[in-house]
Amino acid sequence: MTGPLRVWSLPWALLYLRHEVLALPGRTLALLFVLFLLLFPLFSQDPYWLRVLTLTAIFALYAASWDLLSGYTGQVSLGHAFFFGLSGYTSAILGRETGLSPALTIPLGALLATLAGVLVGLPSLRVRGPYLSLVTLAFPIIATGLIFLFPRFTGGELGLSGLPRLGQSRLEEYYLVVVIFLISLLILWKLAGSRIGLLFHAVREDEAAVRMVGVNTVRLKLLAFAVSALFAGIAGGLYAHYLRVAGPDSLSLFNSIQPVIWSVFGGIATIYGPVAGTFLLFPILEILRVTEELRMLAFALLILLVMRFLPQGVVRGVLDRLEEVCPRCKVRNAFTRRHCRACGVELHLPAAKEVKP
């Protein structure tokens, strides 16, 4: 099936689904997750759960954008809310001043967040580690100060409310957010698995060695900041218009820490790990509202338990139990297979008998 017409034919798709997707538990779970998001409204259109899933998808995109920057390149950002809030405020102000629809103001807000990402990335050329984290933390604090300094323009503590909605109904907004989330996630995943993603990894591990082989690490780090800020900006614009308010809470320290928690919980430097972490933690935090007094305590205990038994994150911990890497060709296989699906080598070799002296 090498011809251009046969590659995308139905038999090819079925064979690909059987041998490349369903052959691995991780990919099967990913397929079920996508189907769940797309088909959920067919079984329930409860406004509360549509709202929870919509916000979860927005925050999952936000967490994945943080992972591309901090997980892959090691440029730990503690002020990621700057891009998130800046895009929301930009979209809100543009909509108010020009009357443009969210379909135009959200991309423009994300574009400004991208430029801000390059600006925030400039200090990374001189400072590293905790010093860079503190520098990134300063930007949302400065932005919050400017918001309080010009309350007539930014709305001050109350923010800008009454923003245009993303769609005509909650169901339309749900599908719009989910589609944007899935497309953005696919782009981030492909980028992370590309040559650029490998260079991001290399910068994190040994930046000096990468420079010695002739790679411009300055461009790489600025690119990581820009792309990460772009998708954080998209999430921020969607968040502002979904809640119909752009407030200083979007720039808060808590909003900067949240993607760190979700990413570490799910599995850092994986893109899909932060998504899993967000889709596990955010709904659980909502469910725990039934015990408001013990809500944060239970939430903290859950995180501590997972970090104790799955220190590499939920996704990696689970996948390491469901899949194994072939020692010969390094292709991943389901744990039930006895032979590698690529090279056929035996995966479960019998233990060598102990030789008595």
Side-chain angles (χ1 to χ4, degrees):
M1 291 187 293
T2 56
L5 294 179
R6 298 187 65 185
V7 164
W8 297 105
S9 62
L10 181 60
W12 177 88
L14 293 176
L15 284 176
Y16 183 83
L17 182 67
R18 177 183 176 186
H19 294 290
E20 297 296 331
V21 179
L22 300 180
L24 288 175
R27 294 179 184 176
T28 305
L29 290 174
L31 176 64
L32 293 175
F33 169 71
V34 173
L35 291 176
F36 167 76
L37 286 181
L38 295 177
L39 301 179
F40 177 79
L42 297 181
F43 302 97
S44 173
Q45 295 188 10
D46 183 272
Y48 173 75
W49 285 112
L50 283 181
R51 180 179 183 276
V52 170
L53 288 177
T54 304
L55 290 175
T56 307
I58 292 173
F59 283 129
L61 175 58
Y62 179 41
S65 73
W66 181 88
D67 190 41
L68 181 74
L69 172 65
S70 300
Y72 276 83
T73 66
Q75 310 296 306
V76 179
S77 169
L78 294 182
H80 218 55
F82 177 61
F83 312 124
F84 188 88
L86 177 66
S87 177
Y89 266 101
T90 303
S91 182
I93 293 172
L94 282 176
R96 183 189 64 184
E97 299 295 328
T98 64
L100 294 174
S101 69
L104 292 175
T105 58
I106 292 177
L108 290 174
L111 182 60
L112 184 62
T114 306
L115 297 176
V118 176
L119 174 66
V120 176
L122 289 176
S124 69
L125 308 181
R126 292 186 175 275
V127 294
R128 295 180 177 83
Y131 303 102
L132 176 63
S133 301
L134 290 177
V135 170
T136 57
L137 182 60
F139 283 90
I141 296 174
I142 294 172
T144 305
L146 292 175
I147 287 172
F148 292 148
L149 196 60
F150 302 100
R152 291 186 179 180
F153 189 64
T154 61
E157 295 181 357
L158 299 177
L160 300 172
S161 57
L163 306 185
R165 296 181 60 174
L166 292 173
Q168 299 300 319
S169 65
R170 287 299 184 193
L171 181 62
E172 188 177 331
E173 289 179 318
Y174 170 81
Y175 273 116
L176 178 66
V177 169
V178 165
V179 170
I180 293 176
F181 159 69
L182 291 176
I183 293 174
S184 302
L185 195 64
L186 180 62
I187 295 172
L188 286 171
W189 184 61
K190 286 291 184 183
L191 180 64
S194 67
R195 179 176 176 273
I196 294 177
L198 292 176
L199 290 174
F200 284 166
H201 264 300
V203 168
R204 183 191 63 190
E205 298 298 328
D206 195 340
E207 184 179 345
V210 177
R211 280 203 304 269
M212 288 179 65
V213 297
V215 176
N216 190 331
T217 57
V218 173
R219 290 182 182 176
L220 277 176
K221 289 194 286 186
L222 292 181
L223 176 64
F225 268 99
V227 176
S228 176
L230 169 66
F231 287 100
I234 293 174
L238 292 174
Y239 179 78
H241 283 278
Y242 184 73
L243 295 184
R244 303 188 67 192
V245 60
D249 287 348
S250 60
L251 291 159
S252 66
L253 176 61
F254 181 67
N255 201 29
S256 286
I257 297 299
Q258 283 191 118
V260 183
I261 298 174
W262 293 326
S263 299
V264 174
F265 185 86
I268 204 168
T270 56
I271 295 299
Y272 47 80
V275 174
T278 311
F279 270 89
L280 287 172
L281 289 181
F282 190 81
I284 288 176
L285 203 56
E286 287 295 318
I287 294 171
L288 289 176
R289 287 187 185 278
V290 296
T291 58
E292 194 65 35
E293 300 80 6
L294 303 176
R295 181 177 174 228
M296 296 310 296
L297 177 61
F299 183 72
L301 286 176
L302 173 64
I303 293 177
L304 288 175
L305 286 174
V306 169
M307 291 298 100
R308 168 64 180 82
F309 296 103
L310 300 171
Q312 293 185 330
V314 172
V315 173
R316 284 188 172 176
V318 172
L319 288 185
D320 286 346
R321 287 163 174 75
L322 295 178
E323 299 175 0
E324 58 183 317
V325 179
C326 173
R328 180 180 178 185
C329 65
K330 306 303 179 187
V331 170
R332 298 189 74 86
N333 294 272
F335 74 99
T336 54
R337 291 187 67 89
R338 294 186 176 182
H339 297 85
C340 175
R341 61 193 177 97
C343 64
V345 71
E346 190 173 358
L347 296 174
H348 303 285
L349 295 176
K353 294 183 178 178
E354 186 178 353
V355 179
K356 296 183 179 179

